[in-house]
Amino acid sequence: MSAATHGTTPRTAPRHRVVITGLGVVTSIGTGVDAFAEGLRAGRSGAQPISAFDTTGFAHANACEITDFDPGQWLRDTPAEELGRAAQFAVAGSRMAVADAGLTEDDVRARRTLVSVGTTDGESRDLDHLTALQVAGGPDRLDATVARRVWPGRLSAGIVRELGLEDVETVTVPTACAAGNYAVGSGYDAISSGDVEMALCGGADALCRKTFTGFYRLGTIAPDVCRPFDTGRQGILTGEGAGILLMESLPSALARGARIYAEVLGYGLSCDASHPVAPDRDSIARCITAAHRNAGIQAHEVDFISAHGTGTRANDVTEVGAIRQVFGDRMPRTVSIKSMIGHTMGAASALAAAACSLALREGFIPPTINHRTTDPECAVDCVPNQAVEARLRVVQNNGLAFGGNNAVLMLGHWDQDTAHPLPARPLDGGVNRPRAATERS
């Protein structure tokens, strides 16, 4: 199916610039921003044998599972049994992001707010449980408590309930493995247009039998670890967790003296719908170009790319081909944090956005671990095995999903000393911005 790329004309009214001031992360290499940053710098691996469900009969069954998460540490107003594991992750991430931003829950309640959470599986782990009950006990067997919490809208509604938000719009975004970037993009639009004052956006998913088995049957589960861009790569490891970004307008952040991790420069979307699972190189390239146009930057200004980087044979080749199509021979360093935290599905691009924000703020590029030899068809500098220090100005975060749902997010460094973004954007100086450039089929 052919598709054309379209941009929109900048609004005549000034649009607010949008910055990230709080991060909340739940991952297999660390929960909380400090532990996550340390894990990224160290190139820590979350890979281990699955304990979440019985893996008898599978030839291999590693994943990046979180084994030290205590929902009671984060749930104060909702009994833990009323929320599924993914919603618990989302609530935890939101509480962390609010605190990390130097805000109280009362501060957030006082603002018009958007809560937007992306997901692939919703609460499929609970659906696994309900299915097992019916297989064992018959079609009438039901766990009512679990059944009540499978609605995926609870990933965002649970945050609203826990934080006691009232003047709020609540969205759950189901665009699979690109959903985190979609959610962050919706927050960018809502704040920049003045529709809301603050946004809690990101993604969450929990390890489940359904997704592991599906990828296993496709032959895309790695037997040991995930090796993006490597000649010996054999597939993904499924993972779990949540990444929630607290976003607000630049004037709001400056007025309260907030620490700014990064500025959201813009994003691009595409939906080519050319194949249920196979990525389309040209569509990804158009999505990247749309994101650059929306952000007001040129390709040569991008300092590194956080790739979707799943570690499958086809996806890595296709994604690198799309990057080369846009950047030519001057390709920036291109890394995949999935080598560390696995493929966290709907949380993947949100956690990568958090990693990019930390990289911009702290001046480093996280590594692609488990790397031995770069595949000539994936000829990128993937920052193998060890993080590198770098002064970063613009970072690109790719999120690619089944069905051709792609979202590319652009983030920029904020220089607190000069109170100006780096670099200055040539299109409109960051004031009158277009909405996201979008490719539609």
Side-chain angles (χ1 to χ4, degrees):
M1 183 179 294
S2 62
T5 303
H6 303 284
T8 55
T9 303
R11 291 184 176 187
T12 56
R15 293 174 63 84
H16 300 295
R17 291 165 66 176
V18 180
V19 293
I20 298 166
T21 56
L23 300 175
V25 290
V26 182
T27 80
S28 57
I29 64 169
T31 291
V33 65
D34 292 338
F36 183 52
E38 181 186 352
L40 291 172
R41 280 187 176 275
R44 188 174 300 145
S45 174
Q48 60 184 312
I50 293 172
S51 64
F53 51 85
D54 183 7
T55 59
T56 302
F58 294 98
H60 47 265
N62 279 357
C64 293
E65 185 178 353
I66 299 168
T67 57
D68 59 354
F69 178 75
D70 176 12
Q73 184 179 351
W74 307 102
L75 296 175
R76 300 171 190 168
D77 299 321
T78 308
E81 64 272 14
E82 291 188 14
L83 291 178
R85 185 170 171 86
Q88 291 173 0
F89 288 159
V91 169
S94 295
R95 285 203 184 279
M96 290 179 213
V98 171
D100 187 51
L103 295 166
T104 67
E105 293 171 17
D106 287 339
D107 292 330
V108 182
R109 290 187 197 109
R111 311 276 192 106
R112 284 180 294 119
T113 304
L114 168 70
V115 175
S116 182
V117 181
T119 191
T120 296
D121 292 311
E123 298 294 2
S124 287
R125 185 161 173 157
D126 286 338
L127 291 174
D128 287 346
H129 172 70
L130 293 172
T131 301
L133 285 179
Q134 293 191 336
V135 168
D140 294 331
R141 183 74 186 276
L142 183 69
D143 184 328
T145 299
V146 173
R148 281 193 293 268
R149 70 192 192 198
V150 298
W151 174 54
R154 286 203 174 197
L155 271 67
S156 52
I159 295 169
V160 171
R161 176 178 176 181
E162 274 294 299
L163 298 184
L165 306 182
E166 296 179 354
D167 190 1
V168 61
E169 179 182 358
T170 307
V171 180
T172 298
V173 184
T175 46
C177 305
N181 271 356
Y182 271 83
V184 173
S186 70
Y188 166 79
D189 281 341
I191 295 170
S192 65
S193 66
D195 290 343
V196 302
E197 299 170 80
M198 190 168 286
L200 286 163
C201 300
D205 263 311
L207 199 66
C208 63
R209 182 194 300 271
K210 179 266 294 181
T211 295
F212 172 81
T213 304
F215 279 105
Y216 188 95
R217 291 290 298 273
L218 287 171
T220 56
I221 294 288
D224 50 3
V225 295
C226 177
R227 293 188 172 88
F229 314 122
D230 194 278
T231 54
R233 67 189 184 281
Q234 294 179 272
I236 74 168
L237 290 187
T238 54
E240 62 180 352
I244 302 293
L245 284 59
L246 189 141
M247 303 155 62
E248 59 187 300
S249 71
L250 177 60
S252 169
L254 294 178
R256 66 184 189 86
R259 172 195 51 206
I260 295 174
Y261 283 103
E263 180 176 2
V264 183
L265 302 178
Y267 69 105
L269 305 176
S270 71
C271 182
D272 56 79
S274 64
H275 192 277
V277 297
D280 182 272
R281 186 189 67 184
D282 292 342
S283 175
I284 297 168
R286 288 193 295 267
C287 188
I288 294 170
T289 300
H292 292 178
R293 183 176 65 249
N294 182 242
I297 62 101
Q298 304 296 320
H300 67 84
E301 295 176 281
V302 177
D303 292 310
F304 91 85
I305 297 171
S306 173
H308 193 60
T310 60
T312 62
R313 305 296 308 179
N315 284 34
D316 286 3
V317 170
T318 303
E319 183 176 12
V320 171
I323 294 168
R324 186 172 298 281
Q325 192 168 315
V326 175
F327 289 86
D329 293 331
R330 300 184 62 181
M331 295 175 65
R333 286 165 162 163
T334 300
V335 309
S336 173
I337 68 168
K338 288 184 179 66
S339 60
M340 292 182 265
I341 65 172
H343 195 334
T344 55
M345 306 300 152
S349 54
L351 284 168
C356 290
S357 300
L358 285 165
L360 284 160
R361 171 84 184 173
E362 298 185 11
F364 75 100
I365 302 177
T368 305
I369 67 169
N370 310 316
H371 196 75
R372 297 179 294 200
T373 305
T374 302
D375 184 345
E377 291 190 273
C378 303
V380 294
D381 178 354
C382 68
V383 188
N385 302 316
Q386 291 188 330
V388 298
E389 301 301 309
R391 183 172 184 266
L392 305 170
R393 299 159 76 91
V394 176
V395 173
Q396 175 179 315
N397 181 32
N398 291 355
L400 315 177
F402 283 174
N405 285 293
N406 306 313
V408 174
L409 180 69
M410 305 303 301
L411 301 177
H413 179 267
W414 177 260
D415 191 329
Q416 297 279 26
D417 295 329
T418 63
H420 289 289
L422 294 175
R425 288 176 299 284
L427 293 189
D428 57 27
V431 178
N432 295 324
R433 284 265 184 82
R435 284 191 178 270
T438 307
E439 173 200 296
R440 299 188 186 278
S441 56

